[in-house]
Amino acid sequence: MGKKDHQDPTEASIHTDFKNNMTYGEYLSLDKILAGQNRLSDHHDEMLFIVIHQVSELWMKLILHELRGAIEAIEKDELSTAFKMLARVSKTQTQIIQAWDVLSTLTPSEYMQFRDSLGQASGFQSYQYRMIEFALGYKTPHVLKIYEKDKELHEELKDAYQEPGIYDVAIKALSRAGLPIDKDVLDRDVTETYRRNNSVMQAWLTVYRDVETYWDLYELAEKLVDIEDWLQQWRFRHMKTVERIIGFKQGTGGSSGVGYLKKVLDHRFFPELWDIRTEL
């Protein structure tokens, strides 16, 4: 008697016939995603450069999705829902930060072999990163000009630019909780970058000095601090990776490179939440 093939009972229910069913690859559109790594040079390491930036853009898409959801939830005073989304943003940020560790395996000599292939394309032009900045309340009108080539995208960015940032809705949550906030802050032009306000400072101090009464607002504040902290760590790793690979050369997009990246490290999205640390 010949030996019979014996199927592992733990694998008996695994589906193998997909003639009429959706596959994993189809669900994820992997044919499109994995066909998008088109090197413009013959250099081996250009693949690393492309993949790192594409992966980062996918993570940024998720960050934007969660930030928008959190903004809507805070506006409805559904803070516990927002907390889950903001916690996910912070975890996602750690993944983007670690991407710089992978890119830093690219040496200056290797990068110079294909840098000219990039032309004037640069991460400075990442529209999703700009939308994240807008969602955090940092509005710089001059960057919109970069995207005029694509009318639909330009309109999408303008819409995002005109929306309130997450700190705007957080401050209004303070007001709804009965904490006094200056009217000009509540009615401010959200197309301008937020600037420190003393009434907001005093409101957050009240929250931190009476955590039991204002627990949800206290937790919201700490979630916002987490996001800014991780964003600044991302910016720092970006700056050091660029310095490691190209030194102080001008960026491909025309920025000053490391000089520009060092400058943005000084910006604070939620200034009062950092200032209160000294006051408490």
Side-chain angles (χ1 to χ4, degrees):
M1 183 181 290
K3 292 183 179 180
K4 294 182 178 180
D5 292 332
H6 294 285
Q7 185 177 22
D8 186 335
T10 64
E11 298 179 2
S13 62
I14 293 177
H15 296 289
T16 57
D17 184 358
F18 287 93
K19 292 184 179 68
N20 299 307
N21 295 297
M22 179 176 62
T23 65
Y24 169 83
E26 289 169 338
Y27 173 68
L28 295 176
S29 300
L30 289 181
D31 55 340
K32 296 177 182 178
I33 293 173
L34 298 179
Q37 295 71 48
N38 303 307
R39 289 182 293 165
L40 298 180
S41 74
D42 294 327
H43 197 275
H44 175 86
D45 294 312
E46 189 180 355
M47 180 64 74
L48 163 67
F49 192 82
I50 293 171
V51 169
I52 285 294
H53 287 84
Q54 288 182 339
V55 168
S56 295
E57 289 291 337
L58 283 172
W59 281 130
M60 282 191 272
K61 184 170 185 175
L62 179 59
I63 287 173
L64 277 168
H65 177 69
E66 300 298 340
L67 282 176
R68 288 165 178 159
I71 288 171
E72 290 180 11
I74 295 168
E75 287 178 323
K76 297 174 183 176
D77 285 324
E78 297 172 356
L79 297 188
S80 60
T81 300
F83 296 157
K84 178 66 179 293
M85 296 171 177
L86 295 177
R88 186 174 292 157
V89 169
S90 293
K91 290 295 185 182
T92 305
Q93 287 174 297
T94 67
Q95 298 300 307
I96 296 184
I97 291 169
Q98 290 175 354
W100 294 120
D101 295 336
V102 182
L103 187 59
S104 66
T105 64
L106 182 69
T107 69
S109 297
E110 291 163 347
Y111 181 50
M112 287 304 114
Q113 295 299 311
F114 64 86
R115 188 183 191 227
D116 287 346
S117 300
L118 305 181
Q120 294 180 330
S122 166
F124 183 82
Q125 298 146 16
S126 168
Y127 65 86
Q128 289 197 123
Y129 178 72
R130 296 303 173 190
M131 286 183 172
I132 291 172
E133 286 188 329
F134 296 167
L136 297 179
Y138 184 56
K139 307 291 181 75
T140 47
H142 66 275
V143 302
L144 292 174
K145 186 172 179 59
I146 297 171
Y147 310 100
E148 289 178 348
K149 179 180 180 179
D150 184 332
K151 184 177 180 181
E152 185 175 339
L153 174 59
H154 188 246
E155 289 300 316
E156 185 179 351
L157 277 154
K158 283 203 301 184
D159 288 343
Y161 186 87
Q162 293 166 1
E163 291 293 321
I166 196 164
Y167 201 44
D168 291 306
V169 298
I171 290 170
K172 288 186 177 181
L174 289 172
S175 178
R176 289 194 298 272
L179 296 164
I181 303 293
D182 291 344
K183 189 175 184 302
D184 61 345
V185 175
L186 297 174
D187 298 334
R188 79 180 196 89
D189 181 355
V190 297
T191 65
E192 296 181 0
T193 296
Y194 178 80
R195 299 188 183 280
R196 186 189 184 283
N197 175 269
N198 189 58
S199 70
V200 175
M201 175 78 168
Q202 294 305 313
W204 285 125
L205 279 171
T206 299
V207 169
Y208 273 75
R209 286 169 174 162
D210 190 357
V211 171
E212 290 187 7
T213 300
Y214 299 105
W215 176 258
D216 282 351
L217 291 170
Y218 170 71
E219 192 168 355
L220 173 60
E222 286 298 296
K223 288 287 190 292
L224 294 178
V225 169
D226 284 343
I227 288 172
E228 178 159 357
D229 190 350
W230 283 116
L231 183 63
Q232 293 295 57
Q233 291 188 51
W234 180 89
R235 283 174 159 179
F236 179 79
R237 288 296 297 124
H238 185 187
M239 182 267 291
K240 294 307 292 184
T241 302
V242 170
E243 184 177 0
R244 176 171 177 161
I245 296 174
I246 68 168
F248 285 82
K249 291 186 182 73
Q250 186 180 63
T252 50
S255 76
S256 58
V258 171
Y260 169 79
L261 296 173
K262 284 185 174 180
K263 180 181 177 181
V264 297
L265 278 170
D266 292 332
H267 176 75
R268 296 191 299 175
F269 294 92
F270 318 128
E272 294 89 355
L273 293 180
W274 295 97
D275 291 343
I276 60 173
R277 266 76 182 159
T278 305
E279 298 296 325
L280 287 169

